[in-house]
Amino acid sequence: MVPAQGGAVPPGREPHGLGASVEPAEAEAKVRGTYPYTADLWAEGLLWAAVLRSPHPHARIKRVDTAAAVAMPGVRAVVTHEDVAGEAGLGRAVTDRPALASDVVRYHGEPVAAVAADHPGPARLAAAAIVVEYEVLDPVTDPEKAFEAEPLHPDGNLIRHIPLRCGDPTATGEIVVEGLYRVGRQDPAPIGAESGLAVPRPDGGVEVYTGTTDPHTDRDRIAACLGLEPDQVKIYVTGVPGALGDREDLGFQLPLALLAIRTGSPVKLAATREESFLGHAHRHPTLLRYWHHADREGKLVKVEAQLLMDAGAYADDSAEALAAAVSFAAGPYVVPNAVVDGWAVRTNNPPSGYLRGEGALQVCAAYEGQMDKLAARLGLHPAELRARNVLSTGDPLPTGQTVTCPAPVAELLTAVREAPLPALPKDGPVEDWLLPGGPDGAAEPGAVRRGVGYALGMVHMLGAEGTDEVSTATVKVEGAVATVLCAAVETGQGFATLARQIVQDVLGVDEVHVAPVDTDQPPAGPGGRGRHTWVSAGAVERAAKMVRTQLLQPLAATFGMSAELLSIADGKITSYDGVLSTTVAEALEGKELWATAQCRPHPTEPLNEAGQGDAFVGLAFAAVRAVVDVDVELGSVRVVEMAIAQDVGRVLNPRQLAARIEAGVTQGVGAALTEHLRVARGMVRRPDLAGYALPTPLDAPEVRIVKLIEERDVVAPFGAKAVSAVPVVVAPAAVAAAVRAATGRPVNRLPIRPQAAVSTS
């Protein structure tokens, strides 16, 4: 029922091992459409679930009448908040969200009740037949007004305030530029909408099959809401159809588990695209006000910033997103003095949560806009101003933490600055021009202006502020076939492929399986922030090395030498002097070896009352140069090329790494130009893929990786860094900078509206 994460590599298949472009074992099945996802699962006696969601962003629930729904043919059960045990709540970082709304709904689309029926149609009809009497309340949708508004939640409207103070707060520069910036609500828009299957167990528990990235947290939250012990709930991870970190939402999974236990039958839910948009979390919309102080030579003296993040109705991981935003508010630049205040507040807008580069993307758009303003005031080339201020290893962040990892920011900037520019359209026939607006657009060649923009950015890896990052892995070898057991979920980031490469390298075994994930395995933590490349892959390596020792020690003892004097390469075991030479298969014959290991990076600490502390395990950096063509009469934009240089620590799989960078840049271009979930007074408008404009292949620019800097981070296993998030963070700022260069307009809002790209000159 559950697909393996990585499958196996046939014996003798090339290439293999770390540093090779190993293809994912499931790639062909995914391309052919035969790979089993949750929506494909089936069980005998299957029922279908439907969820009733609030039509209001803020209302008091006066009455819920399920009688009409219960009486409908084919309906097996209806559940409400009364079926949820105690006061247990949902949420990953903060459990402040009810499983099903009880007395108040706080956002448009909040789950109120759920139905199980024989078929999907009757289930949806029954959900619509539930009568809910609402007392509609005025929604609080402006985060600036949340401070003075009546509390929307028992915990209040203010989730967190971080006042960062660094250096002399009274310092001033000879040149001061000010800016107000807004970043909109980007949706993860996974290729596959949420789905799940829950199966009741004879002991009163439940098994849930779902495409989650954090199965153990799911298990614990579901168990609490059902009044069960954690060992009575088991999560099986099925194929994940696209993920940007923590893609799953327990608002889909909890009703399934409730209904399965209530009916005693398997229950399946496959969300519509509208339900997906309404149900899961989005990027935090953010309002940012900045003041940059510099001297006449362009050296930064002080950065002042006020950051306001809209968390929506519930906290989720907003405190962590705010910490990243405040910590990186000045960007990868040396800033001796900083005064930054950040707030995350509750509103009646859709929920915000984790999305690649959370916090870092929003501030990057703002501080890079400030750097462009400052360069214009000083008469400097934008890249030159950045070069005069870049961060390097050994410099302190505004949080007081010293950058100990490789930070080749200057080299990254030089690489994109020196890369050849793409040819101008005038160098070819007019009929071959790719104009803004597409082949059938209204753009005129005479109104098109080309712009070039630069941006630098940074992200943190792993959890922050004292998060205990740990992962466990087991490696088993029998008959020259290895199996990896680790609860790190393969979401497309390549963990399963990397695990195979590690075992191939360490043990010289060609055929490696990566087992399906379930909660009987020890926790590996959620996806995102490169943690599985670091922590989970580190655990796999340690376990594989322990098995290697078990394999080599008997051979070494036979020849009276240390196991350290034996090496494994190309499936052969040889001694340093050539006396011993045998194959791994021969050495493993008749043996079953296994080992379990953990990996835990060095600890971090929470930011203190002044925003100071060693909050991050590691950092990753990138530089992007964007080239755009803008029709300055219509405001339409075409991204011609995105040139990127990135510090990656070490390339473990070249093809996979390039694909991750290209995907990250494209997602960033979407945030810059098209992706914005429209909300009016708390109501989501057009929650579908017609109203929410994702970049298509025609919108995706040429992504040119001009340089990958492999300066290994000595504290990271393999020395590798996360590669997916930082392109997402930097690309929108680079596109905005290029549009500024083309139009002369300030461009202070993402996504960029057409009117903001219309030249006034």
Side-chain angles (χ1 to χ4, degrees):
M1 184 176 283
V2 179
Q5 293 208 93
V9 176
R13 179 179 174 181
E14 295 290 345
H16 69 278
L18 292 175
S21 291
V22 176
E23 289 285 355
E26 73 280 4
E28 183 175 346
K30 288 182 175 180
V31 170
R32 293 181 178 275
T34 59
Y35 188 75
Y37 294 103
T38 312
D40 303 314
L41 299 184
W42 194 262
E44 190 68 30
L46 182 71
L47 303 178
W48 291 83
V51 178
L52 175 67
R53 298 180 177 275
S54 167
H56 308 291
H58 194 201
R60 186 170 289 111
I61 298 176
K62 306 291 287 184
R63 181 174 65 95
V64 179
D65 185 351
T66 63
V70 171
M72 293 181 69
V75 172
R76 301 296 186 88
V78 179
V79 294
T80 67
H81 74 278
E82 295 179 351
D83 299 284
V84 178
E87 298 298 321
L90 302 181
R92 312 207 84 73
V94 179
T95 57
D96 63 340
R97 176 160 53 103
L100 293 170
S102 56
D103 54 345
V104 178
V105 291
R106 298 183 174 90
Y107 69 92
H108 177 209
E110 182 163 9
V112 177
V115 175
D118 293 338
H119 299 284
R124 296 190 184 280
L125 289 173
I130 298 172
V131 177
V132 183
E133 182 182 335
Y134 294 102
E135 178 188 342
V136 179
L137 304 173
D138 289 334
V140 177
T141 58
D142 183 346
E144 292 186 274
K145 295 181 179 178
F147 295 98
E148 304 299 330
E150 290 294 318
L152 302 175
H153 191 277
D155 295 339
N157 294 346
L158 179 62
I159 295 170
R160 189 178 188 183
H161 170 221
I162 303 177
L164 184 151
R165 302 293 182 265
C166 170
D168 179 6
T170 66
T172 58
E174 298 173 88
I175 306 296
V176 182
V177 294
E178 179 182 354
L180 180 66
Y181 303 87
R182 295 179 186 272
V183 177
R185 184 177 285 103
Q186 187 180 23
D187 189 271
I191 191 170
E194 290 80 356
S195 60
L197 171 67
V199 180
R201 299 198 325 193
D203 65 355
V206 65
E207 296 175 347
V208 180
Y209 298 78
T210 184
T212 179
T213 65
D214 190 5
H216 290 83
T217 297
D218 286 11
R219 177 198 63 187
D220 296 344
R221 297 285 184 268
I222 291 173
C225 290
L226 296 179
L228 301 174
E229 294 299 318
D231 62 5
Q232 291 181 279
V233 178
K234 184 173 181 178
I235 306 294
Y236 290 92
V237 179
T238 58
V240 181
L244 303 174
D246 297 339
R247 68 151 278 168
E248 75 292 332
D249 190 290
L250 284 164
F252 292 96
Q253 299 168 25
L254 191 278
L256 278 175
L258 269 174
L259 291 167
I261 290 177
R262 172 63 67 85
T263 62
S265 299
V267 182
K268 180 176 178 178
L269 183 148
T272 65
R273 183 59 64 176
E274 177 178 341
E275 289 173 324
S276 180
F277 272 111
L278 293 178
H280 60 225
H282 317 88
R283 190 180 300 282
H284 291 79
T286 307
L287 178 66
L288 312 99
R289 185 179 292 278
Y290 269 79
W291 296 264
H292 272 54
H293 298 248
D295 62 22
R296 296 274 175 194
E297 300 301 315
K299 296 287 286 184
L300 291 174
V301 174
K302 184 173 72 172
V303 169
E304 297 178 81
Q306 296 174 350
L307 318 173
L308 179 57
M309 304 186 80
D310 182 354
Y314 299 105
D316 204 3
D317 72 342
S318 295
E320 290 87 339
L322 182 68
V326 169
S327 300
F328 304 147
Y333 302 107
V334 177
V335 179
N337 309 292
V339 178
V340 181
D341 281 280
W343 299 270
V345 296
R346 290 183 176 89
T347 66
N348 292 120
N349 289 320
S352 301
Y354 177 77
L355 200 62
R356 276 183 190 159
E358 79 281 17
L361 180 147
Q362 292 93 322
V363 294
C364 183
Y367 64 66
E368 289 299 77
Q370 289 290 98
M371 295 299 280
D372 282 347
K373 282 188 177 182
L374 192 56
R377 281 282 298 274
L378 293 166
L380 292 173
H381 189 283
E384 176 57 32
L385 174 68
R386 288 166 169 81
R388 295 184 184 187
N389 291 282
V390 291
L391 195 73
S392 60
T393 304
D395 288 328
L397 297 175
T399 59
Q401 180 171 348
T402 300
V403 178
T404 56
C405 67
V409 187
E411 190 175 349
L412 297 172
L413 177 59
T414 299
V416 296
R417 189 176 182 183
E418 294 180 350
L421 288 165
L424 290 168
K426 67 180 182 181
D427 296 335
V430 172
E431 58 268 21
D432 292 340
W433 285 19
L434 292 175
L435 296 175
D440 297 321
E444 293 291 339
V448 175
R449 304 286 183 272
R450 175 155 290 190
V452 179
Y454 297 85
L456 305 176
M458 60 197 295
V459 297
H460 69 283
M461 294 176 288
L462 311 185
E465 293 194 276
T467 301
D468 183 22
E469 294 281 15
V470 62
S471 186
T472 304
T474 297
V475 174
K476 297 181 178 180
V477 182
E478 183 177 9
V481 177
T483 302
V484 177
L485 294 93
C486 182
V489 178
E490 172 60 59
T491 64
Q493 86 280 31
F495 169 75
T497 305
L498 176 59
R500 295 203 326 266
Q501 291 176 270
I502 293 167
V503 174
Q504 288 169 344
D505 252 19
V506 174
L507 295 176
V509 176
D510 287 321
E511 189 172 353
V512 183
H513 298 264
V514 180
V517 172
D518 60 53
T519 47
D520 285 348
Q521 301 168 14
R529 306 184 187 97
R531 68 180 316 280
H532 289 322
T533 299
W534 185 316
V535 185
S536 298
V540 171
E541 182 192 40
R542 291 182 182 183
K545 285 183 174 179
M546 292 166 66
V547 172
R548 174 192 173 104
T549 299
Q550 297 174 30
L551 175 64
L552 296 183
Q553 275 183 339
L555 291 173
T558 301
F559 286 83
M561 63 177 68
S562 169
E564 285 72 22
L565 298 178
L566 301 179
S567 62
I568 298 177
D570 298 323
K572 294 182 179 180
I573 302 173
T574 56
S575 62
Y576 75 102
D577 55 6
V579 172
L580 171 63
S581 179
T582 186
T583 66
V584 171
E586 290 172 346
L588 282 169
E589 188 174 359
K591 295 182 179 179
E592 180 180 355
L593 307 175
W594 67 273
T596 298
Q598 284 189 335
C599 180
R600 175 181 271 116
H602 65 268
T604 57
E605 62 187 23
L607 298 174
N608 64 19
E609 63 279 358
Q612 301 294 294
D614 291 347
F616 306 109
V617 177
L619 303 169
F621 306 88
V624 173
R625 184 193 66 197
V627 179
V628 304
D629 284 344
V630 183
D631 185 317
V632 296
E633 293 178 351
L634 299 175
S636 52
V637 178
R638 183 177 81 88
V639 181
V640 178
E641 180 190 82
M642 301 289 281
I644 182 168
Q646 189 166 328
D647 108 276
V648 298
R650 179 186 174 191
V651 177
L652 302 176
N653 186 320
R655 186 179 303 166
Q656 193 163 269
L657 180 140
R660 300 293 287 170
I661 292 175
E662 291 170 5
V665 170
T666 303
Q667 185 185 358
V669 170
L673 295 178
T674 63
E675 293 190 52
H676 179 57
L677 190 67
R678 292 177 290 173
V679 177
R681 288 191 53 78
M683 298 292 292
V684 179
R685 303 300 185 189
R686 297 294 303 277
D688 52 50
L689 293 179
Y692 185 83
L694 286 169
T696 70
L698 293 176
D699 302 307
E702 178 183 352
V703 179
R704 187 149 60 98
I705 301 173
V706 298
K707 190 164 192 175
L708 298 175
I709 296 180
E710 293 189 75
E711 188 176 348
R712 299 187 182 186
D713 189 336
V714 296
V715 301
F718 322 109
K721 293 190 176 187
V723 299
S724 297
V726 67
V728 182
V729 166
V730 186
V735 172
V739 174
R740 287 187 202 103
T743 64
R745 298 293 301 279
V747 187
N748 55 8
R749 181 190 292 263
L750 295 180
I752 302 168
R753 296 177 172 180
Q755 55 267 38
V758 175
S759 177
T760 56
S761 59

